Amino acid sequence: GESVGLHLPTLSVQEGDNSIINCAYSNSASDYFIWYKQESGKGPQFIIDIRSNMDKRQGQRVTVLLNKTVKHLSLQIAATQPGDSAVYFCAEILNAGNMLTFGGGTRLMVKP
Amino acid sequence: KAGVTQTPRYLIKTRGQQVTLSCSPISGHRSVSWYQQTPGQGLQFLFEYFSETQRNKGNFPGRFSGRQFSNSRSEMNVSTLELGDSALYLCASTLAGVNTGELFFGEGSRLTVL
């Protein structure tokens, strides 16, 4: 799945550094906010989610922060590796169904 | 266990034709969703099926339709193809019930309309 490619914002980081990818969401009523990773030729892959009543959640090398006041979501990747190079999408969902609303995506490039 | 399988992976059609795409969800998953991915519009929700019933529908014209079979496999159809229908069509499956947004995506079917 070659992902959105023409006008994606790009974040370039050095291997081993921390990465922060930001996203603005639109629907205050969303129940969950999610981050997906899409590598070239593949479909999106779930990374981590956060419920709307939380402001921080940690996973393995990743942390998601939610700021509902300014409708902002961020994904922090610790010790970024070449395998982290991909396009990252934020998404939101209402629990009424399985309909995800995706953001535009950010391309992360990791320099060795 | 096997992931979400989509067929065909690549196809080329001409304007006015129709196309049918197939999706086999992960075993045990009963919800199947379809998304369209284009450079201009990004990832957009098409529809979701659960127990052979369309449960949600995105903002796409009636030329886009789908269905789900009793074994949870799903197909989507696009009739009277337009150039703008060229896209990567992604299928995703998940267990039913309260959903936190964790969908399992296939690798997609890339449709080119000439």
Side-chain angles (χ1 to χ4, degrees), chain B residues 1-4 24-32 50-51 68 70-73 93-97 104:
Chain B
K1 54 184 175 183
V4 176
S24 293
I26 292 172
S27 178
H29 286 190
R30 298 171 64 192
S31 167
V32 174
F50 174 73
S51 291
Q68 186 181 33
S70 58
N71 61 357
S72 294
R73 192 177 69 84
S93 73
T94 189
L95 293 168
F104 296 83

Side-chain angles (χ1 to χ4, degrees), chain A residues 1-6 32-34 36 38 41-46 49 89 93 95-100 102-103, chain B residues 9 31 33 35 37-39 42-43 45 48 55-56 88 90 94-95 97-103 105-107 110:
Chain A
E2 189 174 336
S3 53
V4 192
L6 290 184
Y32 282 89
F33 301 89
I34 313 102
Y36 277 86
Q38 187 173 26
K42 297 185 178 180
Q45 178 184 9
F46 173 87
D49 62 24
F89 294 95
I93 191 168
N95 260 341
N98 288 328
M99 182 180 111
L100 288 175
F102 283 89
Chain B
R9 290 292 313 280
S31 167
S33 306
Y35 289 81
Q37 186 172 29
T38 61
L43 279 153
F45 173 79
E48 185 223 356
R55 196 157 65 169
N56 289 291
L88 181 68
L90 291 158
T94 189
L95 293 168
V98 173
N99 186 31
T100 63
E102 184 175 5
L103 303 186
F105 283 85
E107 295 190 330
R110 180 166 294 283

